Amino acid sequence: MLEGPIKIIVPCGSLGAGVHEDEVRRGLEMGAHAIATDAGSTDSGAAYLALGVSKNNRASVKRDLAILMKAGAEAGIPVIVGTSGQAGGDKNVDWTRDIALEIAGELGLKPKIALLYSEQDKAALKARNAAGAIRPLAPLGPLDDATIDACDHIVAVLGAEPYVAALEAGADLILGGRTTDTAVLSSFALLKGAPWGPAWHAAKIAECGSQCAVYRTKGAGVLISIDAEGFEVEPLSLENRCDPHSVSAHMLYENANPFLLTEPGGVLDVTAARYAALDDRRVRVTGSVWDEKPYTLKLEGAGSGGFQTLMLIGIQDPEVLSRLDEFHDKMLAALNHRVQTTIGEAAGDYNISLRLYGWNAVSGDRPPEGTPAPREVGVMFVATAATQEMATQIAKACNAWFFHFPIVEDDELPSYGFAFTPADIERGAVYEFKLNHVIAIDDPMALARTTWIDLTKKEAA
Amino acid sequence: MTTVKDVCRHVRSKNAGPYWVTFDLFFDGPESFEKHHANPALGPQLFQRLFGADPALVRHYPVADLNVVKISYARTSPQGGVVERDMHCGQQFVRLLDVRLD
């Protein structure tokens, strides 16, 4: 362990969200030993893994990464990034690598870069599955080969060990594939011999940057300081502060269980943790326990579940608005009938849903009897089919009905408010996560692949 | 009649990974927390009725230090799937606000 606490700058909740250069500088002045952040999660859905693209725009990620790489180089401390490019698949990592190389070239930096890939080969996974190494997490059942094949990309969610190994080998910059947020932030402290309970708990608290502080909008980052008995956390913005409530409440965030956090190789148990104010900005946490378990990694896989075509109308007709639920049901039945009579069996396993924005689009529930009608509603038509072409054919078959469907049969045909021409909008594929399984491994490095780019050994980036 | 929104200063919902949804009910003080956090009205059947959840996959965690009860359930349709209406489940809490506690 280092003399004194191990200090790590967590500059933002996610790379690309907006690092504050002055906060990073303050962290360096406070003696930080490393900078660490994740760059994504599953939160925004399966498309980013399935497509291998980032949710953030390139310029935002480049701006943040440039600030961190410059700071790391000036202070001679490592910069650690996990879940690169939002989803941490190989394509997401390579996208981030290219940005880092561009920055290095522009700023004249020569970091030794470790790329930690965590994407998994389907045949190898099937073999491990057949050997009984993969088990499901609720609510999914056992894994079959067809599900593996239905995924476009599959990643293992790495733990801290590949990061510790890369740091030991002298990495200045680590760009990791899919990794638990906590492993990215704890790895440097684990390398330096910090106790595991405080190291993982500090990482969990800091995973969203300043979200564990009192004010969500003041500043972006925090500094965690981990020592032999516990850890401290403080916001990097002088305008913000942490208090025991803001810090302990972060254990609730995006976490099904507020006391236990399952990680590769163990469970963080904060049941007995105590949170105390050190002053008006800093909180000290003690009593965090790491409970070592057999080593497992979670698997994430994403693939397409069909294609969608949309249409959107606005309705202000008071007669329709006074009988919205009835209108919804009648129109949906008419549209399905229309598909069956015009396209028939060729439509395959299709789905049409109508979502009444302004009424019940978000829940789909019937509002209580007597709920007053709004002044207008937007009706979104969503056709899902096995191919984009069929989804669009279904929308086209429904177009006139969707446009003119009357609440009272034989009434003069109404015309609802279409916003666009053409009326149908091809949305592309529907992406779903298809795996919620863990894989047991003996060697924590078994599913990670590390490659190096050492810019000190190249003429120029 | 007391409803959830009468005794909570904040209620929120959010994804907890692609397969779970989690609700945090921040009670307005220790008294409300003690009185209501274990109320059967907030039990698995509520989540079955409102969200179609499997009652066996509803978890209930009181956090006394924060006057919070956290309730999590396994999603019945995949995040972002064919019938998705709330990708991040950020609006699902609204249906809890008017649940009667007595």
Side-chain angles (χ1 to χ4, degrees), chain A residues 11 34 57 90 107 159 205 240 379 431:
Chain A
N57 76 317
D90 288 2
L107 299 182
I205 293 300
N240 210 336
V379 184
Y431 293 106

Side-chain angles (χ1 to χ4, degrees), chain A residues 104-125:
Chain A
E106 287 171 12
L107 299 182
L109 305 174
K110 298 194 179 303
K112 189 175 172 187
I113 305 172
L115 304 165
L116 311 182
Y117 294 98
S118 72
E119 196 155 328
Q120 303 302 310
D121 175 70
K122 289 182 180 179
L125 278 185

Side-chain angles (χ1 to χ4, degrees), chain A residues 43-44 138 245 248 252 254-259 274 308 355 361-362 365 384 430-436, chain B residues 9 12 14-16 18-20 24 61-63 65-66 70 72 79-85 87-88 95:
Chain A
D43 189 46
S44 294
H245 185 275
S248 61
L252 301 172
E254 292 181 345
N255 186 17
N257 183 326
F259 299 113
R274 285 289 159 258
Q308 292 185 326
R355 302 161 192 206
V362 177
D365 290 351
T384 310
V430 181
Y431 293 106
E432 292 176 358
F433 285 109
K434 295 179 185 293
L435 301 181
N436 196 34
Chain B
R9 61 177 177 81
R12 67 184 182 189
K14 189 72 173 58
N15 287 345
Y19 293 94
W20 285 76
D24 297 325
Y61 305 100
V63 188
D65 289 351
L66 296 171
K70 179 182 257 305
S72 306
Q79 183 197 16
V82 170
V83 294
E84 181 62 80
R85 291 164 180 265
M87 267 281 299
H88 304 93
R95 281 184 266 183

